[in-house]
Amino acid sequence: MKSVLLFLTALPLLAAIDGTVVNKTTGQPQPGVTVSLTKLGQNGMEPAGSAKSGPDGKFSIDAPAASVHLLQAMYQGVAYNMQLQPNAPTTGLQVQVFDALPKLSAIDMSQHMILVESDGKELVVNETVIFQNDSQTTWYDPKAGTLHFTAPPEAGNDVKARVIAPGGMPVERDPKPLGGKGEYAIDFPVKPGETRFDISYKLAVKDPMVLSGRILHDPGPVRLIAPKGITVEGSGLTSLGNEPRSGAAIFDIKGNTYSVKISGAGTLRSSEADAQGAGTAPEATDREEDGPRIQQIMPPGYEREWKWALGLILAILALSFAAQYMKSAPSSSAGGKPKA
C-alpha cells in the first residue's frame, strides 16, 4: 500500500485548464478552434495537450498544474497567444480571436524610421515600421504578405526581419523577394493593436555612398536618423533638427522615393556615450522644447553576426515634436493605409 501511495505522489498533479474562445470581431463564442497548451519543462517549452472548442466555444485541457503555461488558439491561420502565470486562475479563461481578412482599410502606418550607422567600412541600415490596427479584425494575407519594403540589391541575402505583435515577443521572419527590383514582403498578421516590423541589412561602404529606396506603403511620416559623425544629403529631405542627448540628425523624407548620399562614420550608441562622457545631464536634454527626442530600442536577441557590434540600435521618434520643428515639417500623424 505504501509503495502505491509513493507512486501516486510521484505523478504530476493534473488540473483542468478550461475556458471559452471568443471571436472579438463578432462578439460571439467561436466553435471549432484548436487550442494548444505549452508548458515550461526541463528541456524548454514542451507540448502539454490540446482541445477543440465546442459549439459554445468552450474547451478543457488536463495538464500538469505546477508550470508556466502558454495557451495558443489557431483561427483562420493566425495564432493568438495567452500566457498563464504561475498560481493564476486556470479556469473560466477567455481566449480571444479575430476574423482575418487579406484587405483591411482600418490600418495606419503610424511610424517609419530609417537609421543609418557606419564604421567607415560597412553601412548598417535599420528600419522600423509600426502599424496601428484600431479595428477588431486581423489583417492577414499569406500570399502577398502585409509589409512590403525595398532593400538595395547589394544587401544580398543579408536582409533580416523581426516582428513584434501586440503584447508579444520578437519573432523572426524571412523576407520574401518579390520578382526583383529589391522588393520584399513579410508574411505576418497585423492583429488589432500595434505591430512593429524591424528590418536590418548592411552594405559595403563606397565612394560615393548612396542609399536609395522606395516607400511601398501609402505615404506617412518617414524619418531618417543619422548619428553624430555621419552627413546625409539628398533631395526631398527636410531637417527636423538634432536630438539633444546624442546629437543625431533627424530628417523627414517626402514622397515615396529617396536617394541619399552618406559620408562619415558614427553610431547612435557612440554618440550617446560621447554625450554622457561630456557630462550631459539627462534631465537637461529631456525637454520637448529642445527638439525631437529619440528613444533607443534594441530588439531582444536580434544579434547581427559581424565584427562591428554596434549596429543593433534602432531609433524610435517621440510622438510629439517641438512646435518649431513641426512648422518646418508639417506632421502627417494620420498616417497612411497599407496598399491592398
Side-chain angles (χ1 to χ4, degrees), residues 234-263:
S235 59
L237 291 182
T238 302
S239 175
L240 298 178
N242 293 79
E243 194 272 334
R245 184 169 54 189
S246 66
I250 304 173
F251 300 87
D252 182 64
I253 297 179
K254 298 295 185 183
N256 56 9
T257 62
Y258 62 90
S259 182
V260 180
K261 182 179 178 181
I262 301 172
S263 58

Side-chain angles (χ1 to χ4, degrees), residues 39-198:
K39 70 174 182 178
L40 183 61
Q42 294 181 349
N43 299 320
M45 303 305 289
E46 303 172 351
S50 65
K52 185 167 289 189
S53 61
D56 54 359
K58 295 187 180 300
F59 67 92
S60 179
I61 304 173
D62 289 332
S67 62
V68 177
H69 298 90
L70 178 71
L71 278 178
Q72 184 177 85
M74 203 70 169
Y75 179 60
Q76 295 186 352
V78 180
Y80 298 89
N81 297 328
M82 179 179 182
Q83 186 171 346
L84 305 179
Q85 299 295 340
N87 302 320
T90 58
T91 60
L93 303 175
Q94 184 183 102
V95 181
Q96 299 179 356
V97 299
F98 301 85
D99 285 347
L101 294 175
K103 296 181 181 180
L104 198 61
S105 60
I107 305 286
D108 284 332
M109 190 286 294
S110 60
Q111 293 191 61
H112 184 169
M113 287 72 65
I114 304 173
L115 169 65
V116 293
E117 297 181 295
S118 176
D119 64 348
K121 297 180 181 180
E122 293 178 316
L123 178 73
V124 175
V125 181
N126 288 307
E127 296 193 38
T128 291
V129 180
I130 298 177
F131 285 115
Q132 182 66 38
N133 181 355
D134 291 328
S135 74
Q136 292 294 307
T137 304
T138 295
W139 175 33
Y140 182 48
D141 190 343
K143 293 183 179 180
T146 46
L147 176 67
H148 290 198
F149 68 96
T150 64
E154 296 84 357
N157 296 324
D158 194 53
V159 181
K160 308 295 182 183
R162 276 199 167 184
V163 189
I164 304 177
M169 296 294 292
V171 177
E172 291 188 10
R173 276 292 188 267
D174 291 327
K176 177 183 177 182
L178 296 176
K181 298 183 180 180
E183 295 186 9
Y184 295 85
I186 298 179
D187 170 23
F188 195 88
V190 177
K191 303 172 184 176
E194 181 181 280
T195 299
R196 167 179 158 178
F197 293 81
D198 291 326

Side-chain angles (χ1 to χ4, degrees), residues 281-305:
E283 58 270 21
T285 61
D286 200 30
R287 298 173 297 172
E288 281 191 10
E289 60 265 26
D290 290 328
R293 295 174 292 170
I294 295 176
Q295 176 189 358
Q296 296 182 34
I297 294 180
M298 186 182 299
Y302 197 17
E303 293 83 11
R304 302 303 309 277
E305 295 184 358

